[in-house]
Amino acid sequence: MKVLITGIDGYSGWPLALHLLSRGHDVVGLDNFVTRRRVKEVGSWSATPIASIRTRLSAALEKFAKPIGFHQGDLGDYEFVTRVLRAEQPDAIVHLGEQRSAPYSMIDVHHAVATQVENLTGTLHLLYAMKEHAPGAHLVKMGTMGEYGTPNVDIPEGFFEIEYRGRSDRLPFPRNAGSWYHWSKVFDSGDVMFASKIWSLKATDVMQGVIYGTRTPEIDRPKLLTRFDFDEVWGTALNRFCVQAVLGLAITPYGEGHQTRGFIALEDSIQSLRIAVENPPANPEYRVWNQFDAAYSVNQLAEEVRTIAEGLGWNPRIEHPPDPRVEAERHYYQPIHEELPQHGYRRTRELPDVIREILTDLKRYERRLVARKQAVHRGVSWRQADNTGRLTPITEAVPAAVPAPPAAGTAPSGAPDTPV
Ligand code: USQ
């Protein structure tokens, strides 16, 4: 199968590319490297020293004796999107190329607008380009469990049967997102659902929980490392807690800490995306899969990290800063996740093992964590309309120039080779 990954340079995109290659698929990706630039914007970098795309592509070629095709460009450029789809004719498109941070979207009006404009524009461009140039392709769209919010009833997989005033129907389950970012994913989902209906496209909308971890089996050498963010804007809860333990900073479940979310290890999240790719709907259809392994409160995660870090001889502590987000700190949480197991998914990674692995890996890169320690807490508050004062850059400026685009299917020539 030929698979196009948008956002191939990202936390999930890169390990997914390696995994699909290992399964014998043809892989081609596109990226505009915006996450690398935006992590710098908030004064941070990846804990793992990730190689440039050029080095990544040649390391993958060395390992799998098969190239990954690559196009540098922006999903906001419709000409670029159509050119790639026309040239590549993918069987599946995994759409990961979106602004993925809730705190980033809450910084101020400009970050909110950038998040929603980019995410919706990129998705619409992809849908129109599919309709015109690859109507038989299967779109696997990265959504988020956060689209549903935390309702006081069980959460189905996308749709539910409802009876109201004596009549019944199967309708999309109500969405109730908790950030401008999460709302952008809700709007995307509506657009993918509608496009699938009017143009008879095949689409799987993956409602993914919070991902954690540093490794997948294919990442067996430094040049193949994926990024690992730990600053308040780009790092997610469990990954941040591990970094806090390594740095001797307080582990920070916000507020009461009973906020509960679905979590999934990086390796299993890649397994799920691969299963979605390899099992397209037989006929045009918009389907929704909830993708997480288990629900944990942030308190449970903090305790788990503390216990394992203590086992390593460290002395971590937990503090509860006031919750900077506007979210329920105590709530019911019972999402259903039956579709993936029905398609062959099996959990392979247990939480304590992965935490131990993350802590061990991070210890190796401790100097990089120390160098960006100030970025672990930035103070983006959902209650403030403008958080920019808190986010004055604390490291070097973002490079202005974007490397020249490489030819399709070749390693880019202009991409910087310094690990970032
Ligand atoms: N949290 C803490 N302490 C921290 C950081 C976060 O208690 O230091 C809490 C948050 O308040 C929230 C929960 O942990 O209640 C999850 O926050 P998060 O930053 O790990 O995840 P979130 O902002 O929801 O977004 C992340 C990814 C996003 C993905 C989403 C899946 O950045 O791309 O869509 O997880 S989900 O959460 O299921 O919507």
Side-chain angles (χ1 to χ4, degrees):
M1 212 179 249
K2 186 173 197 179
V3 187
L4 169 68
I5 303 174
T6 73
I8 194 172
D9 191 51
Y11 179 48
S12 301
W14 181 243
L16 176 65
L18 300 178
H19 183 54
L20 291 174
L21 267 192
S22 79
R23 300 269 304 179
H25 297 295
D26 295 328
V27 179
V28 59
L30 61 84
D31 210 294
N32 61 359
F33 306 122
V34 69
T35 302
R36 293 186 187 230
R37 293 194 295 277
R38 283 180 171 163
V39 173
K40 275 190 187 171
E41 178 192 334
V42 300
S44 194
W45 60 8
S46 165
T48 44
I50 50 170
S52 69
I53 192 72
R54 180 175 43 192
T55 303
R56 284 179 151 187
L57 294 175
S58 40
L61 177 61
E62 193 182 292
K63 179 174 167 61
F64 296 101
K66 194 172 173 179
I68 297 176
F70 181 73
H71 300 265
Q72 183 175 338
D74 201 312
L75 288 171
D77 173 357
Y78 187 58
E79 287 308 310
F80 167 74
V81 181
T82 52
R83 205 164 54 240
V84 172
L85 261 68
R86 241 191 347 251
E88 299 294 352
Q89 291 296 305
D91 301 297
I93 301 169
V94 185
H95 181 28
L96 309 175
E98 296 203 328
Q99 195 298 87
R100 61 162 163 91
S101 160
Y104 188 84
S105 75
M106 302 303 292
I107 289 173
D108 65 4
V109 61
H110 306 295
H111 292 78
V113 169
T115 300
Q116 296 208 347
V117 168
E118 285 170 22
N119 289 358
L120 269 76
T121 307
T123 301
L124 276 172
H125 282 172
L126 211 47
L127 289 166
Y128 267 86
M130 272 179 76
K131 151 82 176 142
E132 291 301 318
H133 305 290
H138 168 211
L139 176 67
V140 177
K141 165 72 171 64
M142 177 62 83
T144 168
M145 285 301 295
E147 293 183 30
Y148 302 117
T150 54
N152 201 28
V153 293
D154 292 3
I155 300 173
E157 303 199 66
F159 293 86
F160 75 144
E161 302 287 336
I162 179 164
E163 227 183 270
Y164 182 62
R165 296 191 169 188
R167 299 182 66 81
S168 59
D169 203 349
R170 182 174 181 266
L171 293 175
F173 187 74
R175 305 301 206 259
N176 197 0
S179 72
W180 300 125
Y181 153 74
H182 286 98
W183 276 109
S184 77
K185 304 294 260 194
V186 176
F187 304 145
D188 271 352
S189 285
D191 288 348
V192 174
M193 181 171 68
F194 182 64
S196 305
K197 184 166 79 179
I198 56 174
W199 297 329
S200 299
L201 303 177
K202 293 179 187 173
T204 305
D205 206 347
V206 174
M207 301 292 127
Q208 182 148 271
V210 189
I211 312 178
Y212 58 94
T214 41
R215 292 197 214 168
T216 60
E218 292 82 19
I219 299 177
D220 62 356
R221 58 198 76 182
K223 286 178 183 170
L224 293 181
L225 282 170
T226 192
R227 61 178 312 114
F228 183 100
D229 294 299
F230 57 96
D231 63 90
E232 181 190 299
V233 174
W234 295 96
T236 50
L238 180 55
N239 286 353
R240 281 166 51 70
F241 293 172
C242 290
V243 167
Q244 288 164 337
V246 172
L247 286 172
L249 297 170
I251 299 170
T252 55
Y254 294 150
E256 291 183 50
H258 299 287
Q259 304 90 312
T260 302
R261 300 286 182 271
F263 284 79
I264 187 164
L266 180 62
E267 182 177 339
D268 285 331
S269 132
I270 298 305
Q271 181 202 163
S272 310
L273 291 173
R274 190 259 299 160
I275 288 173
V277 165
E278 291 179 351
N279 295 275
N283 297 306
E285 180 189 347
Y286 169 77
R287 63 185 185 185
V288 181
W289 290 2
N290 292 347
Q291 179 177 313
F292 65 97
D293 255 327
Y296 303 100
S297 73
V298 288
N299 279 342
Q300 285 173 309
L301 296 177
E303 286 300 339
E304 196 74 44
V305 172
R306 173 159 67 183
T307 306
I308 294 167
E310 280 170 354
L312 294 169
W314 309 346
N315 192 18
R317 63 187 202 287
I318 295 175
E319 277 175 14
H320 288 266
D323 194 339
R325 305 186 183 197
V326 176
E327 60 185 354
E329 292 175 23
R330 278 178 191 272
H331 57 88
Y332 180 78
Y333 199 63
Q334 203 60 57
I336 291 161
H337 50 134
E338 293 168 352
E339 286 289 344
L340 269 162
Q342 280 167 14
H343 285 85
Y345 172 82
R346 297 290 172 270
R347 181 179 188 165
T348 63
R349 303 304 315 270
E350 294 304 321
L351 184 68
D353 297 339
V354 182
I355 292 178
R356 205 166 292 112
E357 192 172 272
I358 299 174
L359 292 175
T360 314
D361 282 346
L362 289 178
K363 199 69 189 163
R364 198 170 304 141
Y365 302 115
E366 190 172 356
R367 282 170 56 191
R368 291 179 63 81
L369 302 181
V370 171
R372 295 294 183 275
K373 196 172 178 171
Q374 285 167 283
V376 175
H377 173 72
R378 300 308 309 275
V380 177
S381 165
W382 265 224
R383 292 171 183 82
Q384 303 287 333
D386 186 354
N387 285 282
T388 44
R390 299 175 170 82
L391 282 167
T392 312
I394 51 179
T395 57
E396 72 268 32
V398 180
V402 175
T410 60
S413 54
D417 208 24
T418 335
V420 290

